[in-house]
Amino acid sequence: MQTIFLECGSVRLVPFSPSDINFVKDLHADPFGNRCTEFASDCTIADAADLVRSALQNQADLGFAKWKAVSDDGRFLGWAGFTPISETSEISLNYCLSTEVVDQDATLAMRLCSALTGWFFENTYFSHLVAVIRTDNRDVRRVVQNVGFCHRESKVIEGMQADVFQLFSPSMQSYLMSA
């Protein structure tokens, strides 16, 4: 039985395995998928292996990570989850779904991000969550803003020109509203 970290309708977020490297490489070969990450050119096998390896390591170390998004029948749809940002010691929400998946279900990304933020604040102690988005990625920007993230700053993170959006935990929002 495979561990399911989150269910969002018919989509399940499950841990990556080393056998997923080619799925990740193919996903990131798509220009849309490539815009979801820091890779400036096509994702190589080594890049895909690093993504899978770091996701597995983050899961072991932190209890959360980027997870593989699969359909009811086990079809690879992309990935979604969380990435530690070494430069700021924050956690970033991010996702990458295939163009075909987004075309078939335009609201899936927003539903996944909403469910992930809920999961994050229920299962961690963090006061806020960020979303680091390439400046040219309007689609992901629209998704995180619809989920409730607000623009915090624009900067270069891990070599990528990015906009940083932030969402406070429900308890931090309550605290800020009462101050």
Side-chain angles (χ1 to χ4, degrees), residues 13-58:
L13 296 183
V14 299
F16 275 107
S17 72
S19 63
D20 297 321
I21 292 169
N22 283 322
F23 291 128
V24 171
K25 183 188 180 316
D26 292 345
L27 175 68
H28 290 265
D30 174 353
F32 175 81
N34 197 28
R35 286 180 46 222
C36 296
T37 68
E38 66 275 12
F39 303 122
S41 60
D42 284 339
C43 178
T44 66
I45 283 288
D47 294 330
D50 283 346
L51 186 146
V52 170
R53 180 199 48 75
S54 69
L56 292 169
Q57 189 63 55
N58 288 339

Side-chain angles (χ1 to χ4, degrees), residues 20 23 30 38 57 68 70 83 88 95 103 107 132 166:
D20 297 321
F23 291 128
D30 174 353
E38 66 275 12
Q57 189 63 55
K68 176 173 58 171
V70 295
T83 305
T88 62
Y95 71 91
D103 288 346
T107 65
V132 177
Q166 179 173 282

Side-chain angles (χ1 to χ4, degrees), residues 5 53-65 67:
F5 285 98
R53 180 199 48 75
S54 69
L56 292 169
Q57 189 63 55
N58 288 339
Q59 181 63 47
D61 292 347
L62 304 171
F64 56 82
W67 296 306

Side-chain angles (χ1 to χ4, degrees), residues 8-178:
C8 187
S10 63
V11 176
R12 293 180 180 90
L13 296 183
V14 299
F16 275 107
S17 72
S19 63
D20 297 321
I21 292 169
N22 283 322
F23 291 128
V24 171
K25 183 188 180 316
D26 292 345
L27 175 68
H28 290 265
D30 174 353
F32 175 81
N34 197 28
R35 286 180 46 222
C36 296
T37 68
E38 66 275 12
F39 303 122
S41 60
D42 284 339
C43 178
T44 66
I45 283 288
D47 294 330
D50 283 346
L51 186 146
V52 170
R53 180 199 48 75
S54 69
L56 292 169
Q57 189 63 55
N58 288 339
Q59 181 63 47
D61 292 347
L62 304 171
F64 56 82
K66 290 177 183 169
W67 296 306
K68 176 173 58 171
V70 295
S71 63
D72 283 342
D73 61 3
R75 184 172 54 101
F76 180 79
L77 305 174
W79 55 259
F82 310 101
T83 305
I85 303 170
S86 59
E87 293 178 22
T88 62
S89 299
E90 294 173 296
I91 304 300
S92 178
L93 169 74
N94 40 30
Y95 71 91
C96 187
L97 301 168
S98 75
T99 304
E100 176 187 325
V101 169
V102 173
D103 288 346
Q104 290 175 357
D105 185 351
T107 65
L108 176 60
M110 192 167 67
R111 293 191 327 268
L112 268 176
C113 287
S114 182
L116 281 164
T117 58
W119 183 97
F120 184 79
F121 291 127
E122 289 170 10
N123 292 282
T124 73
Y125 59 87
F126 290 92
S127 63
H128 69 283
L129 181 62
V130 298
V132 177
I133 301 169
R134 282 179 50 149
T135 55
D136 64 346
N137 197 335
R138 292 187 181 122
D139 295 331
V140 176
R141 172 191 309 267
R142 190 172 24 258
V143 167
V144 299
Q145 286 177 314
N146 285 337
V147 171
F149 284 76
C150 296
H151 185 266
R152 184 177 82 188
E153 65 186 318
S154 297
K155 63 190 285 184
V156 175
I157 295 183
E158 297 178 4
M160 176 180 71
Q161 184 62 42
D163 289 320
V164 180
F165 291 80
Q166 179 173 282
L167 178 67
F168 287 110
S169 69
S171 60
M172 184 60 106
Q173 289 178 28
S174 295
Y175 173 75
L176 293 172
M177 294 302 287
S178 68

